[in-house]
Amino acid sequence: MTQSQQSGAVRLMIETYAVRIATLGLMVISAMLQARLLGPEGKGLLAATLSWSALIGGITLLGSDSASIYFVARTAQHTRWLIRAGLMYAVGIALIALVLPGLQINTPIDRQLMLSVALLTPILALMALFNAICVGLNRIRLSNALNAGSALLYVLALAALSMAHVDQFEPVMATVLGVQVAVLILFTASLRHVSSADYVAPDLSALVRYSLQSFRGNLAGLLFLRSSLIIVSGMAPIAQAGIFSIAVVFADVVTMLPNTLINILLPRLAGQSPAFVARRVADAVRYGAVATLALGLLVGGCAFVVIPFGFGEGFRPAAAVALVLCTGAALGAPGMILSLYFNAIEQPGTPANAAWIGCGVLIAGSLALAPLFGAMGAALAVVMARTTITLVMTVRFCRASSLRWQTLLTLQAADLIKSERKIYAIYEQIVRTRRA
């Protein structure tokens, strides 16, 4: 990677993170509107619906979203084939899902909740696949724009409901579905416009193999993200699920930083030599760990001011939960970034194994602590799980790359010099652009 390419990657990461922060700001506003409309109980019910839909949708993808990033990054001509295959697959999921609410199933889950999950699941699955294709095409800006547009539409729709004094679960759920369908249509049109005109099928055996290898890690990641809230909603009062869902919004601001770094670097590192990838990932861990820790403490502290005034007094306990989750996100950032190394050298099974270890810690901790402490118990389980993943990934990376752990976690004088030069180069680029 040349110096100009490195500078371009840094600029794109900063731009992407800024857009995603703005998007998340809109999501915070929408969460405030949800909280004001529905209260802790209704917000908990909506959060449980979204968690179940995202979990089931991710399971039905079977790792094809991760495989799409890799195969499209290597050959953009696979794009149209993946779009068509994804659309047909989503239609099949929808037909199966819509049958389930009509069956006479003895379940404590409300039938209306089941219908909402059935409608939302194929949409979320297809959105995840299309986002993955955008990342593989290195169309990060397109993905950012559509996600920001989705958040803006959702805020406007919820504001309309608020002004109309509509505070029932059903209209809010219909709003979620309507916004997701509109954005999905825009995604389809945009991808067809930017993709290659050629229609080339990938090597199906290689695609399936990579997908299934990735799926183990993806499933662990889905369980990691969703199981705590699902456990809280099932083993504690539903209001605790609403409190936990609000706290997660603040932690999402922190985890967005390492996620952005991964999305920017993976297409650039795929296919490079393991030694080159190891050096770049080690640099990314050093920078990312410090930045994420600082951001986590800042965002967690701000939660004590924002939550009571923005979401209402009923959600005040979410501030302490948010601080714990933000700290956990910072402790887990090095482990997230280290997954880059193994994904780039076509060994996604290694981060998958680490994710499963962390997932086991999370589920066991949530089952033990959530019934006793509600949302705070689930947050403590998340911290333990994220820390475990970082420790496991550090050990496995050092063994595979022959680098010492100090190389990952200790900032060096050279890092500060490089950072100063990169910041100055970006500043000069901005000044020249404005003058032009």
Side-chain angles (χ1 to χ4, degrees), residues 38-360:
L38 301 175
E41 291 80 8
K43 182 67 176 72
L45 182 60
L46 180 62
T49 302
L50 294 173
S51 293
W52 276 111
S53 301
L55 177 61
I56 298 172
I59 291 173
T60 57
L61 283 173
L62 295 173
S64 58
D65 49 342
S66 296
S68 297
I69 296 176
Y70 182 78
F71 281 87
V72 170
R74 298 192 66 175
T75 307
Q77 293 173 329
H78 296 325
T79 303
R80 285 184 180 267
W81 186 92
L82 288 168
I83 292 173
R84 294 183 189 181
L87 288 169
M88 291 187 290
Y89 188 58
V91 170
I93 295 173
L95 293 175
I96 296 172
L98 290 174
V99 172
L100 297 179
L103 300 177
Q104 298 300 320
I105 302 175
N106 294 323
T107 172
I109 302 177
D110 183 79
R111 193 166 300 276
Q112 194 170 24
L113 178 60
M114 290 180 64
L115 178 61
S116 299
V117 172
L119 291 170
L120 193 57
T121 293
I123 298 173
L124 293 183
L126 201 54
M127 288 283 288
L129 182 62
F130 284 1
N131 256 310
I133 293 174
C134 273
V135 173
L137 289 171
N138 203 22
R139 298 281 182 168
I140 307 297
R141 291 185 177 92
L142 173 61
S143 177
N144 292 340
L146 291 173
N147 288 325
S150 171
L152 180 59
L153 284 174
Y154 192 34
V155 168
L156 294 176
L158 287 175
L161 292 179
S162 181
M163 288 187 291
H165 303 289
V166 178
D167 56 359
Q168 292 83 29
F169 171 78
E170 292 81 2
V172 175
M173 192 68 243
T175 299
V176 173
L177 289 169
V179 170
Q180 293 296 328
V181 170
V183 175
L184 186 58
I185 293 172
L186 291 175
F187 244 127
T188 306
S190 300
L191 282 174
R192 288 182 63 86
H193 176 70
V194 304
S195 62
S196 170
D198 296 326
Y199 182 80
V200 179
D203 183 346
L204 294 182
S205 61
L207 177 67
V208 171
R209 183 170 59 253
Y210 193 101
S211 297
L212 294 179
Q213 288 178 346
S214 301
F215 177 63
R216 292 191 301 125
N218 291 356
L219 180 58
L222 284 167
L223 290 172
F224 194 98
L225 292 174
R226 306 297 175 182
S227 60
S228 292
L229 197 148
I230 291 173
I231 290 172
V232 169
S233 64
M235 303 186 70
I238 193 64
Q240 289 294 310
I243 289 171
F244 187 80
S245 68
I246 294 301
V248 168
V249 173
F250 290 83
D252 285 344
V253 178
V254 183
T255 57
M256 191 177 293
L257 179 57
N259 276 329
T260 302
L261 189 61
I262 291 170
N263 289 340
I264 294 296
L265 291 180
L266 182 55
R268 290 170 167 79
L269 296 178
Q272 302 288 342
S273 68
F276 175 83
V277 175
R279 291 195 302 271
R280 294 304 178 195
V281 170
D283 292 342
V285 169
R286 290 198 301 274
Y287 291 120
V290 174
T292 307
L293 179 59
L295 183 64
L297 295 176
L298 175 63
V299 173
C302 290
F304 286 89
V305 178
V306 174
I307 288 178
F309 292 99
F311 295 88
E313 284 295 325
F315 291 94
R316 181 180 285 274
V321 179
L323 178 59
V324 173
L325 287 175
C326 289
T327 304
L331 294 174
M336 294 172 62
I337 300 171
L338 286 172
S339 66
L340 263 173
Y341 173 76
F342 298 99
N343 288 327
I345 64 173
E346 300 186 44
Q347 294 181 14
T350 299
N353 292 335
W356 275 110
I357 294 172
C359 187

Side-chain angles (χ1 to χ4, degrees), residues 326-393:
C326 289
T327 304
L331 294 174
M336 294 172 62
I337 300 171
L338 286 172
S339 66
L340 263 173
Y341 173 76
F342 298 99
N343 288 327
I345 64 173
E346 300 186 44
Q347 294 181 14
T350 299
N353 292 335
W356 275 110
I357 294 172
C359 187
V361 172
L362 175 66
I363 293 176
S366 297
L367 289 172
L369 298 175
L372 298 175
F373 306 107
M376 180 58 75
L380 293 172
V382 170
V383 174
M384 292 187 294
R386 290 193 180 278
T387 304
T388 300
I389 292 176
T390 293
L391 293 175
V392 172
M393 288 298 295

Side-chain angles (χ1 to χ4, degrees), residues 10-29:
V10 172
R11 286 196 299 272
L12 182 58
M13 188 188 74
I14 294 173
E15 176 187 330
T16 300
Y17 191 66
V19 173
R20 291 186 178 182
I21 284 292
T23 302
L24 195 56
L26 292 172
M27 292 172 63
V28 170
I29 295 173

